[in-house]
Amino acid sequence: MTRSWGALFGQSARRRWLHLILGGALFMPYWLVGTVAVGPFTPGGNVFGGALRFQLAAYAVGLPLAALTALFPLARPMSVAAARALCGVAPGRFADGPARGRAARARTAGWFTLHLGTGALLAGATLALPPFALAVAALPFSAALRDSEVGRFWHLDRPWLAWAGLPLGLLLLLALAAAAAATGALLAHAAPRLLGPSPADRLAAAERRAAELAVRNRLARELHDSVGHALSAVTLQAGAARRVLEADPGGADLGFVREALTAIEETTRRTVGELDAVLGLLRSGEDDGELAAPGLDALDALLKGAGPGVALTVSGSLVEVPDAVSREAYRIVQEGLTNAVRHARGARVTARIALSGDELEITMENPLPGTPPVARPDGGRGLRGIAERARLLGGTAQAGPADGIWLLAARLPVGAGGGRG
């Protein structure tokens, strides 16, 4: 009993009933156009005061008009929004965005016509049937009602038959609720079929997910390279300052310690700024925003934070390097320094950056450590991240031992990043 009551009057049933009434309200303009079309064929030109068949004829005229208007692209988002909120169907079973292709538009038109058509009939019954059912149920208690058209219509004008009006009125109300629940369940069953994603929608969703994954990977690379380098540089500077203080606490080289602390401060301040930029993109949800990452013009600060054991040689004007290439080149140099600090601490690092024609060449060398760094299989980090950055720009990058040194070499086409800006 409780289950049957919930199916007729539960929250889901009430929402679906409201969804049907909404469809009836949306159908009203089409029905009014239908009354204009049917009006010349009704006695006196009055469809509202004519027989029921003329009103049904206006209803029949309005249905194809509703189907035609549902072919417009915005019909599906509107229908999905209403169905998602009121039909009790899992949101993931609906398509997002305007309908693409003839098949999707035809299914949307079918749904729109079904929703408005059934909604108009049920909305009309919801307006007309409850007052009539209450009047029938009140027949035993009112002689005036028994003598009215209601009593004579149901042949309940006799007092001993009038008591049948009470159960009859309740049955009419239950029939209305059952019809609303059944129609709502029908629409809920048809909604995923008619408003669900088409193959084109699934392809577009897959492309969006791929684009989002690419953005996440890009931000992960930025975080890894920026924070990883900063931690390595800070560790190196702090360790050097500690060793100086421990070696000669009383007469320590305060100038060296001061330079180390200054480098730590500058490195952490720069890294916090880069971290804020990445987190800002994550918070705003921008998938295609440009990350305000440093470029080759920030190399001086980068090398200063890495310590005195780095020698840089620049050939050509780096100002002419496009912004996209400049940012990736900066990250490649940064990752090369990070690897040198981690695996060959204290060794001298020689870096050369040359702009030759349409290509930017980056070469970094340091003495081969006892355990050379290797590309990790988890992707997007360390040496593998360098290769990814170069490949995305149409260039190449290689790293490995060569003649007793660890060599990192990258070639980036300067035309891959477009113009500056």
Side-chain angles (χ1 to χ4, degrees):
M1 183 65 180
T2 304
R3 190 173 183 179
S4 300
W5 181 267
L8 294 178
F9 301 104
Q11 183 179 19
S12 179
R14 295 196 303 269
R15 286 185 176 181
R16 292 173 179 176
W17 199 338
L18 179 61
H19 183 248
L20 289 165
I21 293 176
L22 175 63
L26 292 175
F27 186 73
M28 282 300 297
Y30 305 102
W31 184 76
L32 291 175
V33 173
T35 61
V36 175
V38 175
F41 305 97
T42 60
N46 184 8
V47 176
F48 302 101
L52 179 62
R53 65 177 182 273
F54 295 111
Q55 298 184 29
L56 293 178
Y59 172 83
V61 172
L63 287 178
L65 296 177
L68 288 176
T69 58
L71 296 176
F72 288 96
L74 292 180
R76 189 172 72 174
M78 182 186 69
S79 298
V80 167
R84 182 180 283 137
L86 299 174
C87 274
V89 180
R93 302 184 66 184
F94 291 109
D96 293 323
R100 298 177 178 87
R102 294 182 179 179
R105 292 178 181 175
R107 289 190 294 122
T108 302
W111 165 264
F112 194 72
T113 306
L114 177 65
H115 178 207
L116 268 63
T118 56
L121 296 177
L122 195 72
T126 302
L127 290 174
L129 193 56
F132 179 77
L134 292 177
V136 171
L139 286 176
F141 311 102
S142 174
L145 283 176
R146 290 193 297 272
D147 294 336
S148 65
E149 292 292 335
V150 175
R152 288 193 293 271
F153 179 81
W154 291 97
H155 303 289
L156 300 177
D157 48 344
R158 299 178 182 179
W160 62 276
L161 288 177
W163 288 101
L166 183 59
L168 182 60
L170 296 178
L171 286 176
L172 289 175
L173 293 177
L174 287 176
L176 175 61
T183 307
L186 171 65
L187 288 183
H189 179 73
R193 299 174 180 269
L194 299 178
L195 296 178
S198 64
D201 296 320
R202 293 189 178 94
L203 178 60
E207 292 175 349
R208 286 194 300 270
R209 286 193 295 270
E212 292 172 359
L213 182 60
V215 171
R216 292 179 182 177
N217 288 338
R218 178 170 65 93
L219 295 179
R221 277 199 308 270
E222 297 295 337
L223 283 174
H224 169 266
D225 293 348
S226 177
V227 177
H229 170 78
L231 291 176
S232 298
V234 167
T235 302
L236 176 65
Q237 297 288 354
R242 178 183 56 81
R243 286 193 296 270
V244 169
L245 291 175
E246 288 179 350
D248 189 6
D253 186 355
L254 296 181
F256 176 83
V257 175
R258 187 180 298 108
E259 291 179 2
L261 294 177
T262 302
I264 291 175
E265 180 184 4
E266 292 178 353
T267 301
T268 53
R269 182 183 295 113
R270 183 180 66 252
T271 305
V272 168
E274 297 176 15
L275 184 61
D276 285 343
V278 175
L279 293 180
L281 285 180
L282 291 174
R283 292 191 188 100
S284 62
E286 296 179 5
D287 291 343
D288 55 354
E290 281 294 335
L291 182 65
L296 292 176
D297 53 351
L299 277 180
D300 291 340
L302 177 66
L303 299 179
K304 184 178 180 180
V310 180
L312 173 66
T313 302
V314 177
S315 301
S317 177
L318 300 184
V319 178
E320 299 177 2
V321 178
D323 285 346
V325 180
S326 178
R327 288 192 294 268
E328 299 303 324
Y330 174 91
R331 292 305 191 193
I332 290 175
V333 174
Q334 185 182 57
E335 182 60 31
L337 291 176
T338 301
N339 285 331
V341 170
R342 287 177 178 172
H343 301 282
R345 179 172 299 178
R348 183 170 180 80
V349 180
T350 302
R352 292 188 297 272
I353 301 177
L355 180 60
S356 175
D358 293 335
E359 194 172 59
L360 181 69
E361 299 180 4
I362 302 173
T363 305
M364 301 185 68
E365 301 175 358
N366 61 270
L368 190 63
T371 304
V374 295
R376 300 176 184 176
D378 47 3
R381 291 181 291 181
L383 300 178
R384 194 178 185 115
I386 292 178
E388 286 185 1
R389 291 181 183 277
R391 186 168 57 250
L392 288 174
L393 293 175
T396 60
Q398 295 178 342
D403 298 330
I405 63 171
W406 181 264
L407 176 64
L408 169 64
R411 294 176 179 270
L412 307 177
V414 295
R420 292 186 67 83

